[in-house]
Amino acid sequence: MENSRGNWGSNIGFLLAAIGSAVGLGNIWGFPYKMGKNGGFAFLIIYLILAVLVGFVIMIAEISLGRKTGKGAFGTYKELAKGFKWVGAMAVIVPLLIMTFYSVLGAYCMEYMFVNLGDLAFHTLNMSGGDLFGAMLTNPFGCIVYTFLFMALCFLIVKGGIKDGIEKFNVVGMPTLAIMLVIVIIRSVTLPGASEGLKFMFAPNFEPLKENFIGVLSVAGGQMFFSLSLAMGIMITYGSYLSKKENIVRNTGIIVLSDTIVAIMAGLAVLPAAFALGGEDAAMSGPKLLFITLQDVFASMGQIGPIFGTIFYLLVLIAAMTSAISLTEVIATMYVDRCAEKGKEPNRMKATAVICVIIFLGASVIAADGLGSNGMWVPFQNSLGVVGSFNDCWLDFVDFIAEGLLMPLGALLMSIIVGWIIGPDKVKEEVEINGTHKFAAYGFFKFCIKFFVPVAMAFILVGQVDGFLGLGIFS
Ligand code: PHE
């Protein structure tokens, strides 16, 4: 059975795939705009603290438990925590939900890349970023076609399996992404006026924390575990394909550090450029930063603009794809494991196709809605009487269920299950299983997983719900 499941070809393959999962739209799109809207430096500090005390700790637990059972999220909870099978089921439903909008955002990047490429070749683009974005969103057919292409690519990679599909794509894609990011950063920070952006990111300023501590905490917390791909079975799944020889704690440290560095690098690529060409308002423009503000930034660079535009949106597309394949793999692994349980030979190709079609169908609704431009959410909301505004858009609603509710809840439950039911010593056992890797930070791990993480997650959960629904509990 072991063989039909497969394993990573090498530790570096595992690392690049895990970093590939972590580095995604969350880093390149979410991090800069959330940092822009939530106080720059203050947000960065809270983010870093949470990444070490919560993210690092949860990730060690997830990778260890996955490797221990050799099963995906569902199988792992079923085996280790009797009565908590449903938490594992949640960890499979959340990726499905996330993929329905993640694929649409990936599709936007693909469309932007082609638009910039077309402009490079034929100089055909003569509209502002805002007009371009509007035109794209109000063309549901185009968005659905690009979403289809994104999912088709995702299918082609995941059907190849762990070593021949996912690992291969990441080993080429991740270094390419890093090089392109450096190129865009060099352009961004050398624009006249970019220093304002650098100051905003790195000059100490704690004012925003005094104004709304829980608000900043919950946005930074939500961002942190979305960015690290936590609480949805991904690291459990990727860990289940990891060899017993490898050092889990060191690997986790590398993944968390890389993800954080890329997020800060993305901030450097985006915020100084936004400041330089549009001032503070541009930097604080929220979700549209990537698709409107930056497109204008590229346009204002003259002849070379489309080159940077093409490179940048290709980079974001690769980042989105390496995350999307991990989300799809969680579901594929669950199927492969179930087949093994029943003694059947799994048909990965067929299963991956079914999963991708289901995701595509859900994503089509979100693509057609065009972030609310085509008015598909409001009638639905009215007929169900759902409260909250969700910016009148489907994407925000699904994001609320997944990122705002189920993910923090999943992380909260997971820390309680590991800290108090399975017991942190099981994680220690797995980390040290080979006899060569001592878990030196075990005391720190045990304290965090038992006490700090559950409390922090509870605050983050309430803060997220408050933020999404605009209840104003903390502000
Ligand atoms: N971590 C990815 C990002 O930053 C998104 C993601 C979330 C991927 C959860 C997998 C699981 O964009």
Side-chain angles (χ1 to χ4, degrees):
M1 276 314 148
E2 232 350 78
N3 288 345
S4 69
R5 206 171 178 274
N7 256 327
W8 300 107
S10 63
N11 192 49
I12 186 85
F14 160 73
L15 275 177
L16 286 172
I19 296 170
S21 169
V23 170
L25 293 168
N27 302 60
I28 300 174
W29 178 53
F31 187 84
Y33 97 68
K34 287 180 188 165
M35 188 166 172
K37 274 188 106 155
N38 292 278
F41 178 81
F43 176 87
L44 180 62
I45 293 299
I46 298 285
Y47 184 91
L48 293 177
I49 295 174
L50 289 175
V52 177
L53 297 184
V54 179
F56 178 63
V57 168
I58 297 188
M59 197 183 288
I60 291 180
E62 289 202 1
I63 297 180
S64 303
L65 297 186
R67 190 174 77 171
K68 184 174 176 59
T69 60
K71 297 204 178 103
F74 187 71
T76 293
Y77 278 104
K78 196 166 147 198
E79 185 171 321
L80 292 179
K82 310 252 154 354
F84 289 95
K85 219 165 57 174
W86 53 278
V87 181
M90 222 165 87
V92 177
I93 293 166
V94 182
L96 202 65
L97 284 177
I98 299 236
M99 270 305 280
T100 60
F101 66 84
Y102 208 80
S103 56
V104 176
L105 295 169
Y108 293 164
C109 298
M110 194 188 272
E111 189 162 350
Y112 264 62
M113 182 197 74
F114 282 121
V115 166
N116 275 279
L117 197 62
D119 190 31
L120 185 64
F122 309 112
H123 306 292
T124 41
L125 186 66
N126 47 13
M127 38 171 130
S128 70
D131 289 346
L132 175 65
F133 199 43
M136 181 178 81
L137 295 180
T138 46
N139 174 5
F141 180 69
C143 291
I144 292 178
V145 169
Y146 276 104
T147 305
F148 178 81
L149 291 176
F150 186 89
M151 283 315 298
L153 206 56
C154 181
F155 164 73
L156 290 176
I157 300 167
V158 176
K159 88 171 179 19
I162 290 293
K163 190 163 140 213
D164 295 318
I166 298 180
E167 183 166 342
K168 278 209 175 117
F169 184 78
N170 278 292
V171 165
V172 179
M174 292 311 290
T176 315
L177 179 150
I179 294 168
M180 292 193 295
L181 192 52
V182 171
I183 297 175
V184 180
I185 290 176
I186 294 174
R187 176 66 281 205
S188 166
V189 298
T190 50
L191 286 166
S195 59
E196 276 309 303
L198 294 174
K199 219 188 285 161
F200 176 72
M201 287 178 74
F202 300 116
N205 169 17
F206 293 99
E207 235 10 77
L209 295 184
K210 283 190 209 135
E211 275 162 31
N212 184 5
F213 179 70
I214 301 283
V216 177
L217 177 80
S218 71
V219 177
Q223 170 65 23
M224 182 274 302
F225 61 83
F226 185 79
S227 184
L228 289 172
S229 303
L230 296 172
M232 60 178 77
I234 300 218
M235 293 300 163
I236 300 183
T237 303
Y238 275 15
S240 73
Y241 296 103
L242 184 66
S243 144
K244 296 275 186 201
K245 288 200 310 276
E246 306 302 345
N247 186 337
I248 292 181
V249 177
R250 197 190 56 197
N251 276 339
T252 306
I254 296 174
I255 299 167
V256 173
L257 192 67
S258 310
D259 184 70
T260 308
I261 290 175
V262 175
I264 295 174
M265 283 171 78
L268 280 173
V270 174
L271 290 174
F275 261 94
L277 296 155
E280 188 166 351
D281 286 351
M284 294 181 68
S285 63
K288 55 183 198 241
L289 185 60
L290 195 77
F291 295 111
I292 297 182
T293 315
L294 264 153
Q295 179 59 33
D296 285 337
V297 167
F298 296 129
S300 71
M301 289 179 186
Q303 296 263 313
I304 53 162
I307 302 182
F308 280 99
T310 308
I311 295 179
F312 183 78
Y313 291 109
L314 175 62
L315 168 176
V316 192
L317 174 62
I318 295 176
M321 186 55 76
T322 53
S323 299
I325 54 187
S326 72
L327 286 158
T328 310
E329 180 57 38
V330 174
I331 313 167
T333 292
M334 167 171 158
Y335 158 81
V336 171
D337 289 349
R338 285 197 74 108
C339 285
E341 233 170 60
K342 293 190 193 138
K344 279 198 306 199
E345 190 56 37
N347 183 341
R348 180 177 260 274
M349 163 99 108
K350 200 166 119 199
T352 311
V354 172
I355 297 165
C356 289
V357 168
I358 295 175
I359 293 172
F360 172 68
L361 292 177
S364 297
V365 177
I366 293 181
D369 182 40
L371 298 182
S373 306
N374 305 319
M376 293 177 59
W377 165 249
V378 179
F380 181 82
Q381 180 175 27
N382 289 344
S383 63
L384 280 187
V386 182
V387 289
S389 90
F390 305 109
N391 295 317
D392 291 343
C393 112
W394 262 102
L395 190 150
D396 273 38
F397 175 67
V398 179
D399 192 22
F400 166 66
I401 302 285
E403 205 187 335
L405 219 51
L406 295 181
M407 276 176 77
L409 190 63
L412 175 63
L413 288 168
M414 134 107 192
S415 59
I416 295 173
I417 293 173
V418 177
W420 299 92
I421 295 171
I422 301 177
D425 50 324
K426 291 280 184 312
V427 173
K428 182 169 190 279
E429 245 170 64
E430 183 60 31
V431 166
E432 298 184 338
I433 200 157
N434 192 27
T436 45
H437 310 301
K438 187 125 186 48
F439 195 168
Y442 180 62
F444 165 81
F445 171 82
K446 190 170 162 185
F447 170 77
C448 288
I449 198 97
K450 277 181 110 104
F451 305 104
F452 188 80
V453 177
V455 174
M457 287 319 304
F459 273 106
I460 292 169
L461 176 62
V462 178
Q464 287 272 50
V465 174
D466 177 44
F468 267 99
L469 295 184
L471 303 177
I473 302 177
F474 296 115
S475 45

